[in-house]
Amino acid sequence: DIEKDQNIIKLANNFTITGVIGGIKPFGSGHINDTYRICNADKNEPDFLLQRINHHIFKDVGALTDNILYVTNHIKNKLRLIPGADIDKQVLTLIKTGNNLFYHKDENGNYWRMYRFMQNTKSYDVVTTTRQAYQGGLAFGNFQTMLEDVDASKLTEIIPDFHNILFRLKQFEQAMSEDKFNRVKDVKPEILFINQHADGMAEIERMGKAGQLPLRVTHNDTKFNNVLLDENDVAQCVIDLDTIMPGYTAFDFGDAVRTIINRAPEDEADLEKIQLNMPLFKAFAEGFLSQTVQYMGAAEIRSLVKGVLLLPYMIGVRFLTDYLNGDVYYKVKFAGHNLQRARAQFQLVKKLEENYAELYAIVMQTVNDNKSSNGTEDL
Ligand code: ADP
Ligand code: MG
Ligand code: MG
């Protein structure tokens, strides 16, 4: 509607955009932020992307923005040293407001930001080819590598304990003991599954605390649709930088694999349909490791496969916790939706466990192929 469009144009004009606004379109399939494409009437100038930041989830928009600036500037400085790199294409660029800030707060208390629009790119919700999976691995691996020398303490932990399974299990236990909706009695097998796995799933946290895994800067939302690919399906840029914060590489590897290896939806009701697609896993691992293997140690490499099990387990724990709490965090489409989601994730964990040796062998084979092509010795 026209009034809404006028409002979006007004909001866009708070930013220091070049050219002339020619039109606006709601954009993308993200679940967290509202996104609009601001089209430029001046064909020599770029389009822009206006996003309303979800400040219910991201409560400290200032710190969030500082994290994004820190990371994107770091990557830009590195790209400047690479001959032929195209900075505008390979990393997101935040646009300033007229007040020299990188976000704008409107009269309703909403926060907005603007990025340069990446022309002629696409993002996929579902991976269909090994080529795409490989490119996704390349993109997230390269992103990790660009940030390898960042001191993680420079960034704010924007959602504390986001991927800390000990914290998620504590929330789950709290929900169980409160049992506000008398649902515990219906989920005994799921509770058993969670408890039987809890100790093993805490290994990454334990290793991290013991100094056996490096704390890095991780993306923490490595869904495949957070990579932009160009018209030839070649990875161009990693996007959706809201959850960048200190973390372990296994989180990014594990969450990406979660969305790539199983082509059934996150809430699949028919557990028979949850199957592993090993060629897609292998392709992703090859892309990721080709970028990261040079600096990862043996413990960190081994942690990657643990992350592949941990991430679906963790999201399953969170779905079941929300089910017990009466569905207050995740939007549900029907009664029992969160329970169905949890079951699907636990089924995926079971499949991954059954195939652990093969997943591990694929990673190790890829590591050794990369090491020998780099002229270094085997692990
Ligand atoms: P969400 O947190 O809601 O997933 P994203 O930042 O991922 O938000 O943006 C939503 C969608 O908008 C992305 O999946 C992508 O298709 C598109 N998008 C995001 N940033 C850009 C950009 N700079 N250029 C072009 N498209 C983009
Ligand atoms: Mg996204
Ligand atoms: Mg996001």
Side-chain angles (χ1 to χ4, degrees):
D1 79 62
I2 292 176
E3 201 177 317
K4 197 171 171 211
D5 285 8
Q6 288 301 328
N7 191 38
I8 295 297
I9 291 173
K10 209 178 112 204
L11 285 161
N13 276 320
N14 287 296
F15 293 85
T16 54
I17 52 184
T18 48
V20 181
I21 295 177
I24 60 167
K25 307 189 193 134
F27 198 77
S29 65
H31 295 312
I32 302 297
N33 301 310
D34 291 339
T35 302
Y36 299 88
R37 178 174 179 172
I38 310 293
C39 303
N40 216 317
D42 182 342
K43 289 296 151 218
N44 297 315
E45 296 294 343
D47 291 354
F48 297 93
L49 195 97
L50 183 70
Q51 273 185 331
R52 185 160 67 97
I53 303 167
N54 188 326
H55 68 275
H56 301 289
I57 294 181
F58 302 106
K59 296 192 167 73
D60 187 347
V61 175
L64 169 83
T65 306
D66 287 346
N67 278 358
I68 296 176
L69 282 171
Y70 193 94
V71 161
T72 53
N73 285 332
H74 187 88
I75 295 176
K76 280 175 205 231
N77 287 336
K78 286 211 162 155
L79 288 173
R80 285 194 185 98
L81 305 174
I82 302 176
D86 189 334
I87 295 177
D88 285 340
K89 284 190 170 178
Q90 288 173 256
V91 61
L92 284 175
T93 299
L94 277 174
I95 308 293
K96 268 188 193 165
T97 68
N99 297 329
N100 244 347
L101 287 172
F102 287 95
Y103 60 85
H104 169 77
K105 189 176 182 185
D106 71 14
E107 59 274 14
N108 302 316
N110 289 314
Y111 291 83
W112 298 82
R113 72 168 158 235
M114 186 176 270
Y115 285 117
R116 198 186 160 98
F117 188 84
M118 299 286 187
Q119 225 80 33
N120 303 320
T121 60
K122 51 203 167 177
S123 65
Y124 297 95
D125 290 329
V126 179
V127 182
T128 49
T129 67
T130 51
R131 180 187 168 85
Q132 291 165 353
Y134 179 81
Q135 290 294 320
L138 218 53
F140 285 125
N142 179 258
F143 186 77
Q144 181 75 94
T145 300
M146 285 286 187
L147 302 175
E148 194 253 331
D149 56 339
V150 172
D151 172 1
S153 70
K154 293 265 188 263
L155 299 183
T156 300
E157 195 180 354
I158 206 73
I159 304 179
D161 291 321
F162 187 56
H163 277 151
N164 180 350
I165 188 60
L166 299 173
F167 172 69
R168 297 301 181 187
L169 286 167
K170 214 177 273 170
Q171 290 181 315
F172 168 67
E173 274 151 31
Q174 170 92 22
M176 254 201 318
S177 67
E178 290 177 4
D179 196 15
K180 286 184 205 152
F181 293 83
N182 194 25
R183 289 178 175 178
V184 166
K185 63 174 180 2
D186 306 326
V187 296
K188 292 286 185 211
E190 288 73 26
I191 292 174
L192 185 67
F193 183 87
I194 290 176
N195 289 336
Q196 281 172 340
H197 288 77
D199 189 57
M201 292 290 180
E203 198 174 342
I204 288 176
E205 278 306 313
R206 277 198 297 270
M207 290 173 73
K209 292 285 160 337
Q212 293 162 357
L213 289 179
L215 191 64
R216 299 192 184 279
V217 173
T218 47
H219 182 282
N220 298 302
D221 189 12
T222 49
K223 283 193 306 247
F224 188 65
N225 67 9
N226 283 329
V227 174
L228 296 180
L229 297 127
D230 71 11
E231 52 274 80
N232 302 315
D233 263 359
V234 172
Q236 180 173 315
C237 180
V238 167
I239 59 166
D240 207 345
L241 309 179
D242 290 325
T243 48
I244 287 187
M245 60 187 133
Y248 303 115
T249 307
F251 297 160
D252 281 0
F253 188 83
D255 212 21
V257 170
R258 182 176 78 85
T259 65
I260 288 171
I261 199 167
N262 156 41
R263 286 193 277 182
E266 194 171 61
D267 60 352
E268 177 61 58
D270 180 359
L271 298 183
E272 293 294 306
K273 292 206 177 123
I274 296 175
Q275 300 291 341
L276 303 189
N277 186 314
M278 286 300 186
L280 292 182
F281 171 75
K282 184 166 190 282
F284 178 82
E286 282 172 356
F288 191 90
L289 288 162
S290 73
Q291 301 298 298
T292 54
V293 81
Q294 318 82 270
Y295 58 83
M296 282 198 296
E300 191 172 27
I301 289 170
R302 282 197 303 273
S303 78
L304 297 180
V305 190
K306 298 185 206 301
V308 169
L309 272 68
L310 174 62
L311 272 288
Y313 174 79
M314 181 147 29
I315 190 80
V317 169
R318 294 176 65 192
F319 286 143
L320 197 67
T321 302
D322 200 37
Y323 178 68
L324 297 180
N325 285 336
D327 311 308
V328 287
Y329 187 85
Y330 298 107
K331 285 186 196 132
V332 290
K333 296 200 178 115
F334 51 86
H337 198 178
N338 270 319
L339 176 57
Q340 182 175 311
R341 287 171 172 146
R343 285 183 174 146
Q345 294 300 306
F346 294 151
Q347 178 68 15
L348 179 56
V349 174
K350 281 179 204 159
K351 287 273 162 195
L352 291 163
E353 269 180 321
E354 285 164 21
N355 292 277
Y356 194 89
E358 191 183 345
L359 296 166
Y360 193 82
I362 289 172
V363 167
M364 287 307 160
Q365 183 62 52
T366 307
V367 167
N368 286 329
D369 291 350
N370 273 283
K371 293 237 163 166
S372 32
S373 67
N374 293 341
T376 41
E377 89 273 39
D378 283 7
L379 265 187

